[in-house]
Amino acid sequence: MQDSIYVEPPSIVALDLVPRTPAKPQTPYQVLRLLPKDATPAQQDSAIQAWFAPDEIHYSERPDTLHLPGEAIPRDLKDVKLPTYYRENFFSNDSLYHPELDGGRYGVAGDPVPETLSNDSLISGLLILCFLVMTFSFSRISGFIGRQVKDFFYVQRGEHSVAETGDEINIQLVFSVITCLTCSMLYYLYAIATGGDTFIFSTEHLLLGVIFLVMVGYFLFKFLLYSIVNTIMFDSSRNKKFLTLLIFLISMEGVLLFPVLLLRAYFQFPIQNAAIYTFIVVVLIKILTFYKTYVIFFSQKALYMQIILYFCALEMVPLLSLWGGLAVIVNHLRVIF
């Protein structure tokens, strides 16, 4: 039995008999597809103008409600002379809408990397330069150092002393400057480890420069003090021999302290061990200075009390004054919260 609501679909032949009306193109792309492939640009433009007639643009007269209440009246967007970056909308004041403006930093700032000698390019360059200069200098005056060490522990019966050339004197002066720089950096590391790293200077270079100038002033003052006192009390030959040995001891002090500076700056050597090593080196240099003072000036006179007073006045008092003066200077330059 056949269903009463069943409708038999039309046959394919019947569909072919229905007249087809071509659909009107809705886009320029559809118009271009109707043209042959060899159509010229002028023909394409004429076909598009035949299908699509330009209409007049009607701008909305309704008020712009995207602006916040209380804001100034926006500029007319229909003004052709208005620059693009003055076209205001809801996001006009947002930095993301203007990539030419600095929008600041988003998120939470991390902890800044503290300034150390190891990550400072200037200080690292100075340390590398000092190392290269010391290596080159040792190759030039290694024989002189050996003769000086031998003469240091050999008691001379006459006025003989190790002869120095101009290059050897200049190299010892360079070593003395390296000694001042090494002592300055070691005291700077000690001051940071014991009292904090916040100072009134914007960079650590200025603080290091102040400490370096104090170190240079200390060694120059000590050298000048020895020259004046020894010129008054002793003859010129012994005075010259002692000053030569004094420059040699100052140079070797920097050589002995330079390794611990590298260990502390680049390998985080404990500051307590570095302080103990520095103390041992300084005490050793003072003992050697006391020994040569006795051998050169007081060995034949047996003036034990005079040599103690002489050594304390010219060595220990300036050293203690240097330590106290640096402590006062650094404390005045430190920012205390």
Side-chain angles (χ1 to χ4, degrees), residues 288-302:
L288 295 177
T289 305
F290 181 83
Y291 167 73
K292 293 306 296 184
T293 302
Y294 172 77
V295 170
I296 295 176
F297 298 124
F298 298 95
S299 60
Q300 299 177 356
K301 300 180 181 179

Side-chain angles (χ1 to χ4, degrees), residues 184-247:
S184 303
M185 292 185 181
L186 285 174
Y187 188 84
Y188 171 77
L189 293 174
Y190 174 80
I192 289 180
T194 57
D197 57 351
T198 304
F199 297 92
I200 62 175
F201 297 121
S202 58
T203 61
E204 63 181 8
H205 303 150
L206 296 177
L207 179 61
L208 274 175
V210 172
I211 300 177
F212 175 74
L213 292 178
V214 174
M215 287 291 178
V216 172
Y218 162 74
F219 285 108
L220 290 178
F221 174 76
K222 187 173 72 171
F223 192 82
L224 179 62
L225 192 62
Y226 269 116
S227 301
I228 295 175
V229 174
N230 292 343
T231 302
I232 297 174
M233 298 180 60
F234 309 104
D235 57 86
S236 59
S237 60
R238 287 189 290 177
N239 186 20
K240 180 180 178 181
K241 182 178 181 180
F242 177 78
L243 292 180
T244 301
L245 292 174
L246 182 63
I247 296 177

Side-chain angles (χ1 to χ4, degrees), residues 36-202:
K37 294 183 179 180
D38 57 350
T40 62
Q43 294 173 346
Q44 295 176 359
D45 185 65
S46 299
I48 293 176
Q49 293 184 11
W51 282 101
F52 301 100
D55 297 332
E56 183 182 357
I57 300 176
H58 299 280
Y59 292 97
S60 176
E61 300 295 337
R62 296 183 178 181
D64 186 4
T65 58
L66 293 179
H67 289 273
L68 296 177
E71 294 291 333
I73 300 176
R75 296 176 177 86
D76 188 7
L77 298 180
K78 294 182 290 183
D79 186 4
V80 295
K81 297 182 180 180
L82 188 68
T84 305
Y85 51 85
Y86 277 113
R87 300 181 182 275
E88 297 183 353
N89 56 34
F90 182 76
F91 303 99
S92 296
N93 296 327
D94 195 337
S95 60
L96 297 177
Y97 191 73
H98 297 281
E100 72 277 3
L101 301 178
D102 184 13
R105 178 181 298 174
Y106 292 90
V108 180
D111 295 332
V113 178
E115 293 186 0
T116 59
L117 296 182
S118 59
N119 59 19
D120 190 285
S121 57
L122 178 60
I123 302 301
S124 298
L126 287 176
L127 293 178
I128 294 174
L129 180 62
C130 291
F131 177 77
L132 295 178
V133 169
M134 293 172 64
T135 304
F136 175 76
S137 301
F138 272 120
S139 65
R140 293 288 301 273
I141 63 171
S142 57
F144 167 77
I145 294 176
R147 295 193 307 270
Q148 193 70 270
V149 172
K150 181 180 178 180
D151 181 72
F152 192 91
F153 295 101
Y154 178 70
V155 180
Q156 303 288 341
R157 291 301 179 183
E159 300 298 333
H160 173 73
S161 62
V162 178
E164 294 179 318
T165 63
D167 290 341
E168 292 170 349
I169 296 176
N170 294 332
I171 290 176
Q172 288 186 84
L173 294 178
V174 172
F175 271 107
S176 301
V177 175
I178 294 177
T179 300
C180 296
L181 183 61
T182 303
C183 294
S184 303
M185 292 185 181
L186 285 174
Y187 188 84
Y188 171 77
L189 293 174
Y190 174 80
I192 289 180
T194 57
D197 57 351
T198 304
F199 297 92
I200 62 175
F201 297 121
S202 58

Side-chain angles (χ1 to χ4, degrees), residues 134 152 175 178-180 182-183 186 218-219 222 246 248-261 263 269 272-290 311 315-316 319:
M134 293 172 64
F152 192 91
F175 271 107
I178 294 177
T179 300
C180 296
T182 303
C183 294
L186 285 174
Y218 162 74
F219 285 108
K222 187 173 72 171
L246 182 63
F248 176 74
L249 288 176
I250 293 175
S251 303
M252 293 302 101
E253 184 178 7
V255 173
L256 295 176
L257 292 177
F258 193 75
V260 73
L261 174 62
L263 291 176
F269 190 67
Q272 294 83 1
N273 298 341
I276 294 174
Y277 177 84
T278 304
F279 177 78
I280 293 174
V281 170
V282 172
V283 171
L284 176 62
I285 296 298
K286 298 306 176 185
I287 292 175
L288 295 177
T289 305
F290 181 83
F311 181 79
E315 276 291 335
M316 300 309 299
L319 180 63

